[in-house]
Amino acid sequence: EEVRPRVMGRAEAVPAHGVSMNDIGGLEEAKRALHEMLVLPTLDPAKYQQYAVTPPRGLLLHGPPGTGKTMLAKAVAGEAG
């Protein structure tokens, strides 16, 4: 596990891998959107180049604590490679 410092002196243990979209319950609309925006362009870049579409370079997830933002980010990172 990697430990990253956080604001106000707290630290959070962040596993480097091992989370998939199937591990996340609910959030189906968010999972679908993230998959379409970030994972598919990575897996099949030729399809996007054919239509001269540039996939996003990043994404900002925002919302209150405990809503699944970190889990979604980990799942997308794991699926996109």
PDB file of all heavy atoms in Angstrom, residues 1-6 10-15 70 74:
ATOM      1  N   GLU A   1       0.830  -1.178   0.000  1.00  0.00           N
ATOM      2  CA  GLU A   1       0.000   0.000   0.000  1.00  0.00           C
ATOM      3  C   GLU A   1       0.875   1.241   0.000  1.00  0.00           C
ATOM      4  O   GLU A   1       1.926   1.270   0.593  1.00  0.00           O
ATOM      5  CB  GLU A   1      -0.906   0.040   1.223  1.00  0.00           C
ATOM      6  CG  GLU A   1      -1.978  -0.999   1.218  1.00  0.00           C
ATOM      7  CD  GLU A   1      -2.925  -0.860   2.405  1.00  0.00           C
ATOM      8  OE1 GLU A   1      -2.930   0.197   3.048  1.00  0.00           O
ATOM      9  OE2 GLU A   1      -3.638  -1.812   2.670  1.00  0.00           O
ATOM     10  N   GLU A   2       0.386   2.241  -0.658  1.00  0.00           N
ATOM     11  CA  GLU A   2       1.071   3.526  -0.709  1.00  0.00           C
ATOM     12  C   GLU A   2       0.372   4.463   0.266  1.00  0.00           C
ATOM     13  O   GLU A   2      -0.840   4.494   0.341  1.00  0.00           O
ATOM     14  CB  GLU A   2       0.961   4.082  -2.122  1.00  0.00           C
ATOM     15  CG  GLU A   2       1.591   5.424  -2.313  1.00  0.00           C
ATOM     16  CD  GLU A   2       1.376   5.933  -3.730  1.00  0.00           C
ATOM     17  OE1 GLU A   2       1.152   5.138  -4.641  1.00  0.00           O
ATOM     18  OE2 GLU A   2       1.417   7.150  -3.887  1.00  0.00           O
ATOM     19  N   VAL A   3       1.130   5.220   1.031  1.00  0.00           N
ATOM     20  CA  VAL A   3       0.548   6.167   1.974  1.00  0.00           C
ATOM     21  C   VAL A   3       0.854   7.574   1.479  1.00  0.00           C
ATOM     22  O   VAL A   3       2.001   7.920   1.239  1.00  0.00           O
ATOM     23  CB  VAL A   3       1.108   5.978   3.395  1.00  0.00           C
ATOM     24  CG1 VAL A   3       0.538   7.020   4.337  1.00  0.00           C
ATOM     25  CG2 VAL A   3       0.801   4.580   3.888  1.00  0.00           C
ATOM     26  N   ARG A   4      -0.191   8.357   1.304  1.00  0.00           N
ATOM     27  CA  ARG A   4      -0.039   9.731   0.837  1.00  0.00           C
ATOM     28  C   ARG A   4      -0.477  10.687   1.944  1.00  0.00           C
ATOM     29  O   ARG A   4      -1.492  10.460   2.581  1.00  0.00           O
ATOM     30  CB  ARG A   4      -0.926   9.973  -0.385  1.00  0.00           C
ATOM     31  CG  ARG A   4      -0.531   9.149  -1.561  1.00  0.00           C
ATOM     32  CD  ARG A   4      -1.355   9.562  -2.748  1.00  0.00           C
ATOM     33  NE  ARG A   4      -1.480   8.422  -3.636  1.00  0.00           N
ATOM     34  CZ  ARG A   4      -2.436   8.257  -4.497  1.00  0.00           C
ATOM     35  NH1 ARG A   4      -3.397   9.138  -4.601  1.00  0.00           N
ATOM     36  NH2 ARG A   4      -2.470   7.217  -5.282  1.00  0.00           N
ATOM     37  N   PRO A   5       0.277  11.767   2.127  1.00  0.00           N
ATOM     38  CA  PRO A   5      -0.148  12.750   3.132  1.00  0.00           C
ATOM     39  C   PRO A   5      -1.415  13.464   2.696  1.00  0.00           C
ATOM     40  O   PRO A   5      -1.675  13.620   1.514  1.00  0.00           O
ATOM     41  CB  PRO A   5       1.023  13.723   3.197  1.00  0.00           C
ATOM     42  CG  PRO A   5       1.776  13.514   1.950  1.00  0.00           C
ATOM     43  CD  PRO A   5       1.495  12.129   1.482  1.00  0.00           C
ATOM     44  N   ARG A   6      -2.213  13.857   3.649  1.00  0.00           N
ATOM     45  CA  ARG A   6      -3.448  14.582   3.372  1.00  0.00           C
ATOM     46  C   ARG A   6      -3.442  15.894   4.118  1.00  0.00           C
ATOM     47  O   ARG A   6      -2.594  16.135   4.954  1.00  0.00           O
ATOM     48  CB  ARG A   6      -4.648  13.744   3.808  1.00  0.00           C
ATOM     49  CG  ARG A   6      -4.763  12.483   2.964  1.00  0.00           C
ATOM     50  CD  ARG A   6      -6.077  11.872   3.047  1.00  0.00           C
ATOM     51  NE  ARG A   6      -7.123  12.874   2.893  1.00  0.00           N
ATOM     52  CZ  ARG A   6      -8.390  12.603   2.777  1.00  0.00           C
ATOM     53  NH1 ARG A   6      -8.772  11.375   2.790  1.00  0.00           N
ATOM     54  NH2 ARG A   6      -9.288  13.530   2.655  1.00  0.00           N
ATOM     55  N   ARG A  10      -3.391  14.343   8.306  1.00  0.00           N
ATOM     56  CA  ARG A  10      -3.904  12.977   8.262  1.00  0.00           C
ATOM     57  C   ARG A  10      -3.304  12.250   7.076  1.00  0.00           C
ATOM     58  O   ARG A  10      -2.859  12.846   6.122  1.00  0.00           O
ATOM     59  CB  ARG A  10      -5.427  12.981   8.139  1.00  0.00           C
ATOM     60  CG  ARG A  10      -6.082  13.638   9.324  1.00  0.00           C
ATOM     61  CD  ARG A  10      -7.574  13.560   9.311  1.00  0.00           C
ATOM     62  NE  ARG A  10      -8.164  13.539   7.994  1.00  0.00           N
ATOM     63  CZ  ARG A  10      -9.428  13.750   7.748  1.00  0.00           C
ATOM     64  NH1 ARG A  10     -10.244  14.033   8.737  1.00  0.00           N
ATOM     65  NH2 ARG A  10      -9.915  13.692   6.536  1.00  0.00           N
ATOM     66  N   ALA A  11      -3.292  10.934   7.115  1.00  0.00           N
ATOM     67  CA  ALA A  11      -2.787  10.122   6.013  1.00  0.00           C
ATOM     68  C   ALA A  11      -3.836   9.085   5.650  1.00  0.00           C
ATOM     69  O   ALA A  11      -4.650   8.676   6.486  1.00  0.00           O
ATOM     70  CB  ALA A  11      -1.484   9.441   6.402  1.00  0.00           C
ATOM     71  N   GLU A  12      -3.817   8.678   4.404  1.00  0.00           N
ATOM     72  CA  GLU A  12      -4.779   7.692   3.927  1.00  0.00           C
ATOM     73  C   GLU A  12      -4.024   6.596   3.195  1.00  0.00           C
ATOM     74  O   GLU A  12      -3.182   6.881   2.338  1.00  0.00           O
ATOM     75  CB  GLU A  12      -5.759   8.372   2.963  1.00  0.00           C
ATOM     76  CG  GLU A  12      -6.717   7.430   2.297  1.00  0.00           C
ATOM     77  CD  GLU A  12      -7.601   8.111   1.267  1.00  0.00           C
ATOM     78  OE1 GLU A  12      -7.436   9.313   1.015  1.00  0.00           O
ATOM     79  OE2 GLU A  12      -8.447   7.424   0.717  1.00  0.00           O
ATOM     80  N   ALA A  13      -4.279   5.338   3.519  1.00  0.00           N
ATOM     81  CA  ALA A  13      -3.675   4.215   2.814  1.00  0.00           C
ATOM     82  C   ALA A  13      -4.441   3.986   1.521  1.00  0.00           C
ATOM     83  O   ALA A  13      -5.664   3.834   1.531  1.00  0.00           O
ATOM     84  CB  ALA A  13      -3.703   2.965   3.677  1.00  0.00           C
ATOM     85  N   VAL A  14      -3.726   3.978   0.408  1.00  0.00           N
ATOM     86  CA  VAL A  14      -4.353   3.813  -0.900  1.00  0.00           C
ATOM     87  C   VAL A  14      -3.760   2.588  -1.570  1.00  0.00           C
ATOM     88  O   VAL A  14      -2.582   2.581  -1.927  1.00  0.00           O
ATOM     89  CB  VAL A  14      -4.106   5.066  -1.789  1.00  0.00           C
ATOM     90  CG1 VAL A  14      -4.741   4.891  -3.147  1.00  0.00           C
ATOM     91  CG2 VAL A  14      -4.612   6.305  -1.098  1.00  0.00           C
ATOM     92  N   PRO A  15      -4.529   1.505  -1.725  1.00  0.00           N
ATOM     93  CA  PRO A  15      -4.000   0.339  -2.425  1.00  0.00           C
ATOM     94  C   PRO A  15      -3.651   0.712  -3.862  1.00  0.00           C
ATOM     95  O   PRO A  15      -4.353   1.490  -4.505  1.00  0.00           O
ATOM     96  CB  PRO A  15      -5.150  -0.668  -2.406  1.00  0.00           C
ATOM     97  CG  PRO A  15      -6.103  -0.172  -1.384  1.00  0.00           C
ATOM     98  CD  PRO A  15      -5.877   1.295  -1.248  1.00  0.00           C
ATOM     99  N   THR A  70     -13.162   8.155  -4.954  1.00  0.00           N
ATOM    100  CA  THR A  70     -11.871   7.477  -4.958  1.00  0.00           C
ATOM    101  C   THR A  70     -11.995   6.072  -5.527  1.00  0.00           C
ATOM    102  O   THR A  70     -11.152   5.640  -6.324  1.00  0.00           O
ATOM    103  CB  THR A  70     -11.290   7.427  -3.532  1.00  0.00           C
ATOM    104  OG1 THR A  70     -11.171   8.760  -3.043  1.00  0.00           O
ATOM    105  CG2 THR A  70      -9.927   6.765  -3.523  1.00  0.00           C
ATOM    106  N   LYS A  74     -10.021   4.654  -8.840  1.00  0.00           N
ATOM    107  CA  LYS A  74      -9.193   3.447  -8.785  1.00  0.00           C
ATOM    108  C   LYS A  74      -9.662   2.410  -9.808  1.00  0.00           C
ATOM    109  O   LYS A  74      -8.854   1.756 -10.473  1.00  0.00           O
ATOM    110  CB  LYS A  74      -9.238   2.824  -7.395  1.00  0.00           C
ATOM    111  CG  LYS A  74      -8.516   3.620  -6.346  1.00  0.00           C
ATOM    112  CD  LYS A  74      -8.677   2.932  -5.010  1.00  0.00           C
ATOM    113  CE  LYS A  74      -8.163   3.769  -3.874  1.00  0.00           C
ATOM    114  NZ  LYS A  74      -8.360   3.099  -2.570  1.00  0.00           N
TER     115      LYS A  74
END
